[in-house]
């Protein structure tokens, strides 16, 4: 029997009666993980749209773009590009992982731009917080409340499918029901430290990410062969080679013969390796089945606000600052706000590509609006600026001083195995060529991020700040991370 979830969504229990989420064995902040929750891959509830199916909206033109229905947000490079091109009435985008940090911002942005959006999410990211005893700096609403609020503010409906894409039956239903023209796939375990906690988290990360992506590829082949896959990869796939990093491919002359080959991969965590495995699987299926795909090798994302998430507090995005899910710049802003010394790991010369979350949403929109050709495996390096960890600490220190904060830095013994001083020069021109107008890291953005962190400083749990996952100490025994 279907239970009414909202005016436009229905919860349909799967054939099995088992609940998706096992009860947690929690004792204050300590999580016992002797029975990993992900051991249960039983079928789960499917949220299926009641909305009448619309006509198929396949778009085969590489320049096809959606109607821009921006409501009060600033115009972007993407919208300029969109206005000049042939515009389909409606273009359907499935955002897998649409309840997460990048996924939520992207789902709202695309909906605001006139795409017909469906979120597919297992909500497991929220469960990680509960299991590790950590929380977002910002209070975040349930996905249902988020979507109700978005509807009331924008008048736009985002469909919701709650389930695990590793469950092919669930994914098939979602595909057949929504019939996406593009799939944006953020639905992976995205923390390197999480994947290095213990054996079971390493296995979970690779199983979840690699099998999930394989299922998406099979679903496209089976149900929507024109559908464009926009897959979130990572700059971490390349590692830190002592030569320039190209965008996906490198032309090599060897023993007098020349070829253009996938750029060598040297990932340095089980998480980053899962993305390498994904890239190989996607590249193969583009060749073998003619899948069209874009791999967005994204750098470290910072920031929290986008035009849409700041429309209402119930649309607020998550902001991670803990040692497992928090990323460098966001962490440093929170550390500065609560007068915790900035935690530079090792020598601090680790250099990465960085980007503002407002550019993440812009890049995804550009990729969708300018799809890969049938059979093409495109790779874009998705970042806007390079910084070392010491650079980032220096910028936050300077911005903190302006706000009257006395920001200190400490060198923490590096919990990771990574080069701490190295050459780094990565190309990132393809998205610029498509029209990306980057939001470069500015004093005003740092001011606003610091003020944001100060606003929510009472929610900070200082015990979550120091890293406590070691690349070298990872073992087979299930580990409790929270103190
Ligand atoms: O308190 C900290 C936190 C991090 N770092 C260092 O900062 C660098 C970046 O670490 P991060 O935690 O900000 O980012 P990372 O673990 O690489 O992962 C994040 O950024 C990746 C892009 S990239 O780094 O691979 O380009 C994405 O794929 C991941 O999903 C996202 O969690 C690393 O050298 C790390 O050792 C510190 O020195 N101090």
């Amino acid at each position: 029997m279907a239970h009414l979830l909202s005016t436009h969504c229905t919860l349909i229990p799967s054939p099995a009666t088992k609940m998706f989420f096992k009860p947690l064995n929690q004792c204050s902040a300590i999580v016992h993980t002797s029975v990993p929750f992900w051991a249960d891959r039983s079928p789960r509830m499917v949220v299926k749209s009641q909305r009448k199916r619309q006509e198929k909206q396949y778009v085969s033109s590489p320049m096809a773009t959606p109607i821009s229905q921006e409501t009060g947000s600033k115009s972007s490079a993407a919208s300029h590009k969109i206005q000049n091109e042939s515009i389909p009435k409606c273009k359907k985008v499935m955002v897998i992982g649409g309840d997460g940090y990048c996924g939520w911002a992207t789902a709202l942005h695309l909906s605001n731009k006139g795409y017909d959006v469906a979120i597919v999410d297992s909500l497991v990211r929220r469960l990680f917080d509960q299991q590790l005893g950590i929380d977002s700096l910002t209070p975040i609403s349930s996905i249902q409340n988020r979507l109700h609020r978005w509807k009331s503010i924008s008048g736009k409906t985002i469909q919701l499918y709650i389930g695990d894409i590793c469950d092919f039956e669930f994914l098939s239903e979602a595909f057949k029901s929504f019939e996406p023209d593009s799939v944006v796939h953020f639905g992976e375990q995205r923390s390197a430290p999480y994947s290095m906690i213990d054996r079971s988290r390493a296995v979970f990360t690779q199983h979840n990410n690699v099998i999930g992506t394989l299922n998406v590829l099979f679903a496209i082949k089976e149900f929507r062969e024109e559908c464009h896959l926009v897959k979130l990869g990572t700059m971490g796939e390349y590692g830190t080679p002592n030569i320039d990093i190209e965008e996906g491919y490198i032309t090599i002359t060897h023993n007098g013969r020349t070829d253009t080959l996938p750029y060598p991969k040297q990932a340095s965590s089980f998480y980053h390796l899962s993305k390498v495995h994904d890239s190989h699987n996607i590249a193969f299926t583009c060749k073998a089945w003619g899948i069209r795909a874009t791999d967005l090798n994204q750098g470290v994302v910072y920031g929290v606000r986008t035009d849409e998430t700041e429309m209402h507090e119930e649309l607020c995005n998550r902001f991670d600052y803990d040692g497992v899910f928090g990323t460098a710049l966001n962490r440093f802003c929170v550390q500065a706000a609560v007068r915790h010394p900035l935690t530079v790991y090792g020598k601090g010369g680790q250099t990465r590509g960085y980007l503002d979350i407002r550019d993440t949403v812009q890049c995804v929109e550009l990729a969708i609006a300018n799809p890969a050709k049938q059979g093409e495996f495109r790779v874009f390096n998705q970042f806007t600026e390079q910084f070392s960890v010491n650079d980032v600490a220096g910028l936050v220190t300077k911005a903190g001083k302006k706000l009257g904060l006395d920001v200190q830095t400490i060198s923490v013994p590096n919990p990771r195995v990574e080069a701490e001083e190295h050459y780094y020069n990565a190309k990132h021109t393809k998205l610029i060529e498509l029209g990306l107008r980057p939001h470069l890291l500015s004093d005003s953005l740092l001011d606003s991020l610091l003020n944001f962190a100060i606003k929510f400083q009472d929610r900070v749990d200082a015990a979550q700040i120091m890293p406590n996952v070691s690349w070298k100490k990872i073992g087979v025994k299930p580990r409790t991370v929270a103190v």
Side-chain angles (χ1 to χ4, degrees):
M1 193 174 77
H3 305 276
L4 197 63
L5 179 70
S6 71
T7 48
H8 59 276
C9 293
T10 309
L11 257 178
I12 302 174
S14 62
T17 50
K18 269 192 203 167
M19 288 299 290
F20 174 25
F21 298 132
K22 287 189 161 185
L24 298 175
N25 230 352
Q26 276 189 324
C27 171
S28 62
I30 298 176
V31 179
H32 301 283
T33 53
S34 53
V35 181
F37 67 92
W38 52 83
D40 181 5
R41 286 263 175 221
S42 60
R44 53 220 47 130
M45 292 186 291
V46 176
V47 178
K48 202 173 174 187
S49 165
Q50 274 186 327
R51 187 178 50 82
K52 247 176 113 186
R53 282 193 194 170
Q54 295 176 348
E55 283 203 320
K56 290 189 178 184
Q57 297 282 346
Y58 281 130
V59 179
S60 51
S61 155
M63 297 305 286
T65 49
I67 294 177
S68 181
Q69 295 178 358
E70 208 169 36
T71 53
S73 60
K74 289 164 211 144
S75 65
S76 65
S79 59
H80 289 308
K81 203 166 174 72
I82 283 158
Q83 280 161 12
N84 299 329
E85 293 163 0
S86 69
I87 297 172
K89 276 261 151 44
C90 182
K91 198 157 190 284
K92 302 170 97 178
V93 185
M94 175 182 279
V95 180
I96 303 176
D99 187 45
Y101 173 53
C102 292
W104 174 238
T106 301
L108 287 187
H109 178 77
L110 295 174
S111 175
N112 202 18
K113 291 286 182 156
Y115 288 90
D116 184 0
V117 175
I119 285 177
V120 173
D121 203 302
S122 69
L123 310 184
V124 74
R125 175 66 191 86
R126 294 172 186 254
L127 187 63
F128 295 151
D129 278 356
Q130 290 174 6
Q131 294 219 331
L132 298 176
I134 56 182
D135 202 358
S136 161
L137 173 74
T138 46
I140 52 171
S141 297
S142 69
I143 184 66
Q144 291 83 358
N145 287 345
R146 282 176 156 185
L147 297 183
H148 280 303
R149 180 58 61 192
W150 178 242
K151 169 91 179 165
S152 77
I153 283 179
S154 69
K156 293 167 199 284
T157 298
I158 295 180
Q159 306 293 314
L160 176 63
Y161 298 83
I162 298 176
D164 183 349
I165 61 166
C166 289
D167 173 357
F168 191 70
E169 197 189 331
F170 159 75
L171 183 64
S172 306
E173 284 305 311
F175 255 76
K176 285 188 273 183
S177 157
F178 183 67
E179 301 181 325
D181 301 307
S182 311
V183 173
V184 184
H185 182 14
F186 290 101
E188 299 202 327
Q189 192 300 96
R190 66 110 186 127
S191 158
Y194 186 92
S195 74
M196 302 301 291
I197 292 174
D198 55 24
R199 186 204 66 87
S200 58
R201 263 74 170 228
V203 170
F204 168 75
T205 300
Q206 294 216 346
H207 182 272
N208 182 71
N209 295 3
V210 177
I211 306 305
T213 297
L214 256 185
N215 279 348
V216 171
L217 292 166
F218 271 97
I220 291 174
K221 178 180 192 293
E222 195 69 17
F223 309 117
R224 294 295 280 180
E225 60 184 3
E226 298 278 329
C227 179
H228 176 208
L229 172 63
V230 178
K231 164 70 173 42
L232 268 290
T234 175
M235 286 300 293
E237 292 185 38
Y238 302 119
T240 52
N242 199 30
I243 57 171
D244 292 348
I245 294 173
E246 304 297 321
E247 291 197 71
Y249 299 91
I250 185 167
T251 301
I252 298 175
T253 301
H254 179 63
N255 293 345
R257 298 183 65 82
T258 299
D259 203 353
T260 297
L261 301 166
Y263 196 93
K265 317 275 192 208
Q266 300 188 80
S268 61
S269 74
F270 289 121
Y271 153 71
H272 287 100
L273 281 159
S274 73
K275 298 275 190 184
V276 172
H277 308 328
D278 284 339
S279 295
H280 288 146
N281 285 340
I282 300 168
F284 168 68
T285 57
C286 287
K287 263 191 207 152
W289 304 337
I291 302 275
R292 57 170 89 206
T294 303
D295 205 355
L296 296 175
N297 280 346
Q298 186 165 245
V300 184
V301 182
Y302 59 81
V304 62
R305 290 194 175 113
T306 52
D307 288 345
E308 294 79 17
T309 63
E310 65 184 5
M311 286 179 187
H312 192 279
E313 63 183 17
E314 269 191 315
L315 302 178
C316 187
N317 207 341
R318 62 178 311 121
F319 190 107
D320 302 310
Y321 65 90
D322 59 276
V324 175
F325 282 95
T327 48
L329 201 152
N330 283 357
R331 266 167 69 68
F332 287 179
C333 287
V334 172
Q335 291 168 0
V338 298
R339 281 80 171 164
H340 188 291
L342 309 188
T343 54
V344 168
Y345 298 166
K347 293 182 183 154
Q350 302 93 306
T351 303
R352 302 286 183 268
Y354 285 77
L355 75 162
D356 189 309
I357 192 163
R358 291 172 295 176
D359 290 338
T360 294
V361 304
Q362 215 191 131
C363 291
V364 171
E365 187 191 2
L366 283 169
I368 293 171
N370 303 277
K373 297 187 196 79
Q374 208 76 46
E376 184 186 9
F377 178 56
R378 265 186 337 189
V379 183
F380 297 161
N381 290 348
Q382 182 165 312
F383 71 94
T384 59
E385 292 172 280
Q386 290 186 182
F387 299 110
S388 70
V389 177
N390 286 330
D391 293 336
V392 174
L395 290 166
V396 172
T397 304
K398 195 170 133 220
K401 269 206 186 101
K402 282 207 291 178
L403 297 180
L405 298 170
D406 177 22
V407 184
Q408 303 293 322
T409 294
I410 46 167
S411 172
V412 175
N414 198 336
R416 307 183 181 201
V417 176
E418 61 185 356
E420 294 175 4
E421 289 170 314
H422 57 89
Y423 177 78
Y424 199 78
N425 184 32
K427 301 276 169 65
H428 56 111
T429 55
K430 290 189 185 171
L431 283 157
I432 301 280
E433 281 160 21
L434 282 183
L436 172 67
R437 284 191 201 153
H439 295 84
L440 299 181
L441 185 58
S442 62
D443 289 353
S444 64
L445 186 271
L446 275 172
D447 276 5
S448 98
L449 257 188
L450 280 166
N451 278 321
F452 196 84
I454 291 167
K455 178 176 169 195
F456 291 103
Q457 62 180 309
D458 290 346
R459 288 177 51 88
V460 173
D461 174 2
Q464 301 305 328
I465 288 178
M466 292 301 280
N468 59 3
V469 177
S470 159
W471 266 225
K472 285 193 174 147
K473 290 189 188 145
I474 182 171
V476 296
K477 204 169 158 213
R479 240 196 99 207
T480 296
V481 173
V483 285

